Structure formats: structure tokens, C-alpha cells
């Protein structure tokens, strides 16, 4: 039912979107005083940041060399669109203004490539469902989608999830706009689908939606089978072209080979687990879905809403496409993915949840107006309000806690507190005519200071590595030590050879007796070992 003009609704959503964007400014300025702090709060940011920075900082003798070094960024876990857009909207504006500070860089990267694309994605989902014609439905859906726990959490880091969600939503948006015309917007959809594939391969899961979209056109006799095949081929060609153009490093064989190897390893880790193996079982996803997306009763309400939306002639196309997209990608996640990252379901759940206004549709209440159906009508209203109210209350409580934790994460960090203590009581007392060499677990914070050189590794560490690096100080995250010496975990590791070599090191660390090192201090978070000769001279 039309209760507002689209322009008025858009203005209201922009206002709320601006407030929402600003609300993340302070929490997104936390946890990035230096590179090593990133590894404590967001290891993925720690892995990504050096690559996006080097895209801009590599010296080159010519413009062509600069372009080459910009596009061959090496970190091929995610596609070039993520790194290119991070550079253009995150770092380049700061560099042009003369700023070069990691905390400011991460603030802009989080805001411009996580929060902003999320707002655009949610705004498009709302438009596709309401056409901005109902102010209450539009504002309610907009704010509800933004309060889903995973939406808020995803806005607190720099990662490609918001961008790939935007490309997924754009694919759906252009298909809806095309409305079986199979003209310009159909091909725009192919480009967006190619970008979703180029960023994180998610565009590949539109196969079911595109096949159905073409099949409906053929069944409606809009074209014959030959034209249907031609349209399908054109979509694939344009999608592939978008994929290739947006990943220009693929022009170079060395980069293609490297990207292939990276994606092969990523695929294996997704299917079996990273470091430790995990089972592929749909039921194991339920705690993640319940905590970060929806309570079981609300999932049932969404199923009903999607069913009602598909029955509605005006909303049938977009909600059918959402169902087919979500089914294809959702089944893959449930049955073929062992690495259960909480953000994986984000591009499935947000489009599904956008069908929510269908339960408020006037036609449903009109159908329940007959006197003999009044009890059902009131029962439907009560159960819908109760389910929605419980979910909203859960969202707000979760968001409040997560937001406060993000705001104060530096002050409350056990890793930062551990470093402050060991530096004050032990490291500051060591005085050499050279820099200290410190090895640390990636989750153990060491400030980036000229007093020392910091070494770290993603993989398990062996005595051979320690002998090669010869650190003066070893700072270990105790949980890592416990994990690598857990007998059950050892049997389930995906890195059996590496872990077997590293096992003596971690067993000795757990017992507090590393060869050549003295255990100086430990608490619930970490362990500090210092080379025995240094410990005798400076700490006895």
C-alpha cells in the first residue's frame, strides 16, 4: 500500500544511513595503532593491509611499471575489485591530503569498504521490496537489516564481505529491473555477477537463478530455444569478461599461476578446515546462524514471508530470484563447507530477510477478515508480533554489547595488557647495543618500536625456525600452545607434517622449558621466554 513518495522515503533513509555511518566512526578508529595491533583484533586485516599499502608505495621507473605493480598485488585470496576499491576510496584520498597513518588508514578502509557498501546493499534490498512507496515498511526494514548482529559485526572490520554483498544485490537488482525484457539491465546484471565472482567467486552461485530466469522467458514464449541459448551464452561471456577486466593481473602467467595455487589452497581449507579439520554437517551451522543472524522462530517467519512474497504477483520475481540464489549458495555452505566463518551466510540471510514486509501486506489481513477467521487473524498478528519483537530485542541487546566491546577493545584487551606488563617489568630492563629480536605469536601484541625487530608466522613454529631466527625474546599466546599440544587436535590437523615438526617446541613451551630460554613470566593469556644468557645478565 502506497503511503509515501519514493523521494521522501529515500530522504529519510539517507538521514538514518548517515547517522548509522557516523556511529561507526569511533569504534572503527580503535585497534590499529600499529600493524601488530591489527593481528590481535583482526588477523585478516593484518594479512591484507601490507598488500594494499604496497600497491601505492612501490617505487617504479615509469608509469607502466607503476600500473603493473599496482595490479599484481599478490594477495590473491580475494579479487582485485576489493583491493582496487580499498585503494581508491580508502587510501588514495588520504595520501593526496598528505596523511600516512595506519590508524587513519584502517578507519577509512573500514568505513568506506565495509560500512558504506553495507548501507548501499541494504538500501537496494529495501527498494526492491518496497519501491520506497511505504514509509513505515521501508524505514522499518532498513533499520532492522542494519541491526542484524552479523551486519553490525561486519561493519567493524575491513573485509570484502560488504563489497561482495553489494555485487550480489546489484545482480538481483538489475534482474528485477529487467523484468523479463532481456535487454540492457539483463547485461548489467551479468557485469555485476562477474564482479561478485571476481571478488570472492560468489557470482558462480547465480547459475540456478539465471537458468530459471531464462527458462521462464522461454516458457512464456518470449523467445525460442535458440534465442534462449544465445542469451545464456551472452550472459556467461559478459560475466566472464567482467571477471577478467576486473582482475587484470590474470594477464600475466606468473600471477595466474600464483592465484590458482592460492585459490586451490583456499578451497581445500574451506572444505576441510584451516590447520585443524572440521566436519561438514549442516547441523553444526545452527549455533552460528542462531547467534549472528536469527532465532529459530524468526527463521520460520522469514520462510513464511518469502512464501507470501512469491505468491504476490508484484513481488514474485525478486523474491523468486532471492530464493534461488540463497538456495544455491546456502546448500553449498551447509553441505560442502567445513570452515564455518560467521560471515559466510551474510549474502544469503540479508536478501532473505528483506522479504519480511510480506507478512505486513494488507491482502493477508483482508483475507482473514471473515468472521470465522478472526481468531486466526488475531493469532497470526500475535505470533508475528511476538516473534519479531523477540528478534528485535535480541538484535539490540547483542548489538549494544558488541558495539561497546568494539569501542573499548584496546582498554579491555588481554594481549595489550600482557605486553604492557612484560615491557614495563622485563623488556625495558634489557639494554643492548643492537635491536632486540622478538618472536611472537600473531595474537600476542608487541608494539611497533625501533627498540626491536619483530618476527611472526601464521604456521606452527619449530625449533629449526627458532634456531634460524635466533630471537632474544619469545612471546607466545597460551591458547595457541594449548591447541598445538592437544592430542585430539593433533590427530585432526590439516598440517600433520608441519605440526609434527613443531610439536617438540610447543610441548617444551607448555612445560615452561624451551631449549636455550628461560620462562620469565606467564599468565592466563601469554608466556614470556627470554634467552637464558640475557635473562641471567639483566633479570637476575
Amino acid at each position: 500500500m502506497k503511503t509515501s513518495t519514493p523521494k521522501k522515503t529515500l530522504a529519510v533513509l539517507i538521514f538514518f544511513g548517515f547517522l548509522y555511518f557516523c556511529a561507526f566512526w569511533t569504534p572503527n578508529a580503535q585497534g590499529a595503532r600499529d600493524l601488530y595491533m591489527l593481528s590481535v583484533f583482526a588477523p585478516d586485516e593484518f594479512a591484507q593491509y601490507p598488500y594494499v599499502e604496497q600497491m601505492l608505495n612501490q617505487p617504479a621507473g615509469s608509469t607502466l611499471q607503476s600500473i603493473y605493480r599496482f595490479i599484481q598485488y599478490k594477495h590473491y585470496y580475494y579479487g582485485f575489485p576489493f583491493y582496487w576499491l580499498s585503494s581508491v576510496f580508502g587510501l588514495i584520498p588520504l595520501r593526496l591530503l598528505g596523511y600516512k597513518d595506519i590508524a587513519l588508514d584502517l578507519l577509512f578502509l573500514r568505513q568506506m569498504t565495509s560500512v558504506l557498501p553495507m548501507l548501499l546493499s541494504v538500501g537496494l534490498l529495501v527498494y526492491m521490496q518496497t519501491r520506497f512507496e511505504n514509509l513505515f515498511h521501508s524505514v522499518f526494514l532498513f533499520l532492522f537489516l542494519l541491526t542484524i548482529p552479523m551486519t553490525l559485526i561486519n561493519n567493524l572490520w575491513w573485509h570484502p564481505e560488504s563489497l561482495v554483498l553489494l555485487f550480489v544485490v546489484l545482480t538481483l537488482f538489475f534482474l528485477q529491473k529487467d523484468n523479463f525484457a532481456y535487454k540492457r539491465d539483463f547485461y548489467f546484471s551479468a557485469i555485476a555477477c562477474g564482479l561478485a565472482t571476481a571478488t570472492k567467486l560468489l557470482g558462480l552461485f547465480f547459475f540456478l537463478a539465471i537458468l530459471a530466469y531464462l527458462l521462464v522467458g522461454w516458457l512464456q514464449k518470449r523467445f525460442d530455444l535458440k534465442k534462449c541459448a544465445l542469451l545464456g551464452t551472452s550472459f556467461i561471456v559478459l560475466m566472464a569478461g567482467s571477471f577478467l577486466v576486473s582482475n587484470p593481473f590474470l594477464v600475466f602467467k606468473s600471477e595466474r599461476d600464483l592465484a590458482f595455487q592460492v585459490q586451490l589452497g583456499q578451497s581445500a581449507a574451506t572444505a576441510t578446515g584451516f590447520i585443524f579439520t572440521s566436519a561438514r554437517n549442516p547441523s553444526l551451522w545452527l549455533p552460528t546462524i542462531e547467534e549472528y543472524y536469527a532465532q529459530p522462530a524468526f527463521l520460520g517467519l522469514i520462510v513464511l514471508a518469502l512464501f507470501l512474497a512469491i505468491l504476490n504477483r508484484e513481488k514474485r520475481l525478486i523474491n523468486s530470484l532471492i530464493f534461488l540464489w540463497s538456495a544455491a549458495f546456502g546448500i553449498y555452505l551447509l553441505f560442502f563447507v567445513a570452515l564455518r566463518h560467521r560471515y559466510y551466510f551474510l549474502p544469503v540471510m540479508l536478501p532473505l530477510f528483506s522479504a519480511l514486509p510480506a507478512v505486513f501486506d494488507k491482502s493477508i489481513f483482508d483475507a482473514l477478515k471473515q468472521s470465522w477467521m478472526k481468531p486466526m487473524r488475531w493469532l497470526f498478528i500475535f505470533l508475528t508480533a511476538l516473534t519479531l519483537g523477540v528478534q528485535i530485542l535480541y538484535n539490540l541487546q547483542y548489538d549494544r554489547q558488541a558495539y561497546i566491546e568494539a569501542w573499548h577493545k584496546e582498554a579491555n584487551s588481554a594481549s595489550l595488557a600482557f605486553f604492557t606488563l612484560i615491557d614495563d617489568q622485563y623488556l625495558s630492563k634489557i639494554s643492548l647495543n643492537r635491536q632486540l629480536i622478538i618472536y611472537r605469536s600473531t595474537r600476542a601484541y608487541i608494539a611497533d618500536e625501533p627498540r626491536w625487530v619483530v618476527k611472526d608466522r601464521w604456521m606452527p613454529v619449530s625449533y629449526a625456525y627458532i634456531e634460524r631466527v635466533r630471537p632474544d625474546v619469545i612471546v607466545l599466546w597460551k591458547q595457541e600452545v594449548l591447541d598445538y599440544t592437544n592430542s585430539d587436535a593433533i590427530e585432526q590437523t590439516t598440517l600433520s607434517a608441519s605440526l609434527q615438526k613443531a610439536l617438540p617446541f610447543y610441548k617444551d613451551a607448555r612445560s615452561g622449558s624451551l631449549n636455550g630460554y628461560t620462562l620469565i613470566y606467564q599468565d592466563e593469556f601469554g608466556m614470556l621466554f627470554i634467552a637464558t644468557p640475557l635473562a641471567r645478565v639483566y633479570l637476575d
Side-chain angles (χ1 to χ4, degrees), residues 36 69 115 126 160 236 252 266 275 359 403 405 437 484 491 501 527 534:
Y36 302 124
R69 292 176 181 179
V115 182
V126 172
I236 293 171
F252 306 101
Q266 190 80 336
I275 299 183
V359 299
Y403 187 81
E405 288 177 1
I437 300 174
Y484 287 156
E491 293 176 3
K501 291 179 182 178
M527 309 176 77
L534 287 179

Side-chain angles (χ1 to χ4, degrees), residues 78-122:
Y78 311 117
F80 186 68
F82 170 58
Y83 283 97
W84 178 77
L85 290 168
S86 294
S87 297
V88 170
F89 293 108
L91 298 191
I92 290 178
L94 292 175
R95 298 297 182 268
L96 291 175
L97 293 171
Y99 294 105
K100 189 176 182 182
D101 176 76
I102 186 170
L104 195 58
D105 286 352
L106 265 295
L107 170 61
F108 270 68
L109 288 168
R110 292 164 183 167
Q111 291 291 117
M112 302 307 293
T113 59
S114 286
V115 182
L116 184 59
M118 179 63 73
L119 285 166
L120 294 173
S121 300
V122 169

Side-chain angles (χ1 to χ4, degrees), residues 265-280 336-340 492-494:
Q266 190 80 336
S267 177
T270 301
T272 60
F274 180 71
I275 299 183
F276 299 109
T277 57
S278 300
R280 284 173 284 180
F336 299 98
V337 172
L339 202 63
R340 286 176 290 278
Q492 299 174 7
T493 183
T494 60

